[in-house]
Amino acid sequence: MSITLFIIVSVIKIALILFVLLTAVAYTVWLERKVVGHMQNRWGPTRVGPFGLLQPAADGVKFLFKEDLTPPHVYKPLYIAAPMIAVVFAVTSIAVIPFGNWLNVGKISTPFQITDVNIGLLVVLGITSLGVYGVALSGWSSNSKYSLLGGLRASAQMVSYEIALGLSLVGVLMLAGTFSLRGIVDAQAGHFWGFIPNWFIFRGGQIVAFFIYLTAAYAETNRIPFDLPEAETELVAGYHTEYSAMKFAMFFMAEYANMITVACLASLLFLGGWRGPIFGPDWLQQLLPLFWFVLRVFAFLFVYIWVRGTLPRFRYDQLMAFGWKFLLPLAIANLVVTAVVVALT
Amino acid sequence: MLHLILFSLFVIICVAGAVNLLLQRHPINSALSLVVVMGSLAVEYLLLGAEFVAAIQVIVYAGAIMVLFVFVIMLLNAGEEEHTQGSRVAWLLGLPGALAITVVIAWALVQSEGSAVALGVTPDAQKAFGNAADISQLLFHQFLLPFEVTSILVLIAIMGAVVLAARPESERREG
């Protein structure tokens, strides 16, 4: 492929993936309102469009036309920068995530992925670990006690749970032997005992790692039952109390984009990525992996919303004790067991 | 060529961040400048071909240690600090001293181009230098003992920090 063609293909892919990601973010909000509504015996959004399907568009227009208030007591440079930091890092991490196999159109052959780097997993972890600055700085620069408490809680919580999250992934890395996300999916090909798919969740006790990842990921994305940074019963709205209009929407987008990234990672690392039955004509064979991948991500997001509608919020000391005294030792134990399994096989 | 331009660009960003760190009056601005320094250092590592080191640099320094810095600054609510003109001794001795040390270090680095070979960073090794497999090979074979000793040292430091930070038993009962 010539360099010009490569750049054109890359730009198209980036634009397309950004568009899909932001649409997915908007419709995850819709899905959440709808599912939680039905769980609570309500309808959720119904007015705008069929099944309220145009609600995200209406919300977007509302956010754009609302007055953009800047309270007089804030530290302005960081107050403005914080939502940008949050949303930029949340969206950037999608760059290394593969969605499927290769796409062949005529002579052009390109993977369903913006770029494949051999440290893909570390890149995602690194970029998402920078996302905490958005939350922490918004809390501090708002110059309000609720925001500050929310920001402090968020930074402590995200740093604590990042350790358990990272350790839970080491088992998968040991089994796969690579940091490349595409390589990790390739390592999950095939079946064992004839019918069980070779996904990492079924191998070497990684089901424990999967649940550690699941729990830590909820904490990392500040979702119920770990949404202490924005606990509305105690902190008004936590770190984004002083934000309105599009700046608030940016925090919202960042949160849901992070959820989608976490769901993508879970599908890639534990659930076999885009593996599934492939059949039909050539174009269908190329697009079916994409469908299987989206199905997994959707299931993961649904569990997210399900948990949100079911569990109450933790207390802050419970959250910290759970992270450090239960999840971290469990992750280390899982690491040791996996190391023994890998050494024996 | 593009490589060189990017490298120089991030060197400038890195130094500018470091200078800004010293010039800023507010600790949180200084801490954020340090994040910029860490980030641009990570890009430099990446451009040198050490992608694993670059990722670890971002995850550990920018993502964890600097978050703790910011956390502490927020928690203590540290205000703006006063700038003094600096003492006359600092101007007369410190500035020439700093310049002299910079020149000596730069000279030593320029002179000892051969040391890259001694370290194993020859053009041959450079291709694979800094990736995960290479580093783990060095860490867990050649330098296993120093690595383990360092980890014990870090453990002792953590214990010490906990002992120093924890309130004594008598105080805790009252509170």
Side-chain angles (χ1 to χ4, degrees):
Chain A
M1 211 190 302
S2 71
I3 187 87
T4 342
L5 192 63
F6 175 78
I7 291 175
I8 293 171
V9 169
S10 294
V11 168
I12 293 173
K13 274 199 292 190
I14 291 169
L16 204 66
I17 288 175
L18 258 186
F19 173 75
V20 171
L21 177 67
L22 293 179
T23 314
V25 164
Y27 277 93
T28 311
V29 178
W30 173 84
L31 184 76
E32 170 151 25
R33 292 177 65 179
K34 207 72 184 166
V35 171
V36 171
H38 279 274
M39 286 180 79
Q40 297 168 347
N41 224 350
R42 302 181 280 115
W43 280 109
T46 54
R47 296 301 167 110
V48 197
F51 308 105
L53 268 173
L54 294 178
Q55 187 69 42
D59 284 347
V61 171
K62 188 190 98 176
F63 278 131
L64 277 175
F65 284 104
K66 258 186 133 173
E67 188 189 351
D68 191 12
L69 284 171
T70 306
H73 50 75
V74 301
Y75 181 63
K76 233 177 166 180
L78 292 182
Y79 177 84
I80 294 169
M84 296 183 195
I85 293 174
V87 83
V88 163
F89 286 124
V91 170
T92 314
S93 50
I94 208 79
V96 293
I97 289 187
F99 306 102
N101 277 325
W102 287 69
L103 178 71
N104 301 306
V105 180
K107 281 181 190 162
I108 303 170
S109 174
T110 181
F112 279 106
Q113 184 180 19
I114 293 178
T115 179
D116 185 21
V117 289
N118 57 0
I119 47 162
L121 183 61
L122 289 177
V123 170
V124 176
L125 288 181
I127 292 173
T128 46
S129 74
L130 290 177
V132 67
Y133 284 110
V135 176
L137 291 178
S138 67
W140 181 81
S141 65
S142 295
N143 218 351
S144 122
K145 58 187 168 210
Y146 300 118
S147 300
L148 181 65
L149 281 172
L152 282 177
R153 283 181 175 189
S155 33
Q157 173 178 330
M158 286 165 96
V159 168
S160 306
Y161 276 77
E162 215 171 359
I163 302 170
L165 184 100
L167 280 177
S168 73
L169 301 180
V170 178
V172 168
L173 290 176
M174 283 198 290
L175 287 171
T178 171
F179 281 119
S180 158
L181 291 167
R182 195 166 280 278
I184 290 172
V185 174
D186 288 340
Q188 301 178 65
H191 298 75
F192 61 96
W193 297 345
F195 63 100
I196 302 176
N198 218 350
W199 301 349
F200 281 139
I201 188 173
F202 299 127
R203 279 164 59 182
Q206 292 312 301
I207 190 153
V208 181
F210 178 70
F211 281 103
I212 296 169
Y213 175 82
L214 201 67
T215 320
Y218 283 21
E220 280 288 299
T221 46
N222 298 330
R223 294 280 302 180
I224 283 178
F226 303 112
D227 68 333
L228 275 299
E230 44 189 310
E232 51 279 280
T233 41
E234 4 181 330
L235 294 182
V236 190
Y239 60 90
H240 55 64
T241 305
E242 306 290 334
Y243 284 88
S244 58
M246 210 53 210
K247 292 205 193 81
F248 166 75
M250 280 160 110
F251 281 118
F252 222 65
M253 276 156 63
E255 181 179 329
Y256 283 85
N258 277 330
M259 275 169 67
I260 290 174
T261 310
V262 158
C264 288
L265 265 194
S267 318
L268 292 170
L269 297 177
F270 293 104
L271 303 176
W274 51 81
R275 311 227 158 259
I278 307 279
F279 50 81
D282 188 48
W283 62 270
L284 193 66
Q285 286 195 5
Q286 289 193 27
L287 291 180
L288 263 180
L290 218 55
F291 171 75
W292 296 122
F293 183 73
V294 171
L295 195 69
R296 287 178 174 94
V297 173
F298 174 79
F300 203 85
L301 288 174
F302 185 81
V303 173
Y304 247 114
I305 297 165
W306 188 3
V307 167
R308 186 229 151 129
T310 313
L311 293 181
R313 185 179 296 132
F314 275 59
R315 232 173 40 223
Y316 199 68
D317 58 322
Q318 290 173 332
L319 168 93
M320 279 298 164
F322 183 72
W324 287 105
K325 294 181 188 166
F326 178 74
L327 222 48
L328 184 59
L330 190 66
I332 293 173
N334 174 66
L335 193 61
V336 173
V337 171
T338 314
V340 171
V341 169
V342 170
L344 290 181
T345 49
Chain B
M1 189 60 200
L2 185 66
H3 191 274
L4 190 68
I5 293 171
L6 278 176
F7 195 87
S8 319
L9 182 71
F10 278 95
V11 166
I12 293 168
I13 293 176
C14 187
V15 174
V19 171
N20 193 42
L21 163 80
L22 296 173
L23 292 180
Q24 285 292 333
R25 283 181 171 212
H26 205 288
I28 212 138
N29 291 343
S30 297
L32 292 177
S33 311
L34 196 50
V35 176
V36 171
V37 173
M38 301 290 186
S40 40
L41 272 182
V43 176
E44 301 287 16
Y45 291 145
L46 199 63
L47 289 172
L48 288 173
E51 70 267 352
F52 181 74
V53 182
I56 295 302
Q57 168 88 6
V58 171
I59 294 174
V60 173
Y61 284 98
I65 292 181
M66 287 318 296
V67 172
L68 287 182
F69 271 45
V70 171
F71 180 81
V72 169
I73 294 169
M74 280 162 60
L75 196 67
L76 299 179
N77 204 9
E80 290 200 3
E81 58 180 20
E82 286 176 18
H83 271 212
T84 57
Q85 290 298 311
S87 66
R88 195 175 296 165
V89 181
W91 281 107
L92 286 179
L93 291 179
L95 208 60
L99 273 176
I101 290 172
T102 315
V103 168
V104 167
I105 291 175
W107 181 77
L109 284 178
V110 170
Q111 284 296 307
S112 64
E113 260 175 56
S115 65
V117 182
L119 281 170
V121 199
T122 51
D124 278 347
Q126 211 149 34
K127 220 163 52 178
F129 177 69
N131 65 24
D134 268 13
I135 287 180
S136 53
Q137 197 70 30
L138 285 176
L139 213 53
F140 295 113
H141 285 99
Q142 204 175 338
F143 298 112
L144 183 61
L145 185 67
F147 176 67
E148 295 295 341
V149 171
T150 315
S151 65
I152 291 173
L153 199 65
V154 172
L155 186 68
I156 293 170
I158 295 172
M159 298 282 197
V162 169
V163 169
L164 287 177
R167 282 189 296 173
E169 195 72 17
S170 54
E171 260 181 60
R172 223 177 295 161
R173 263 187 227 118
E174 289 160 25

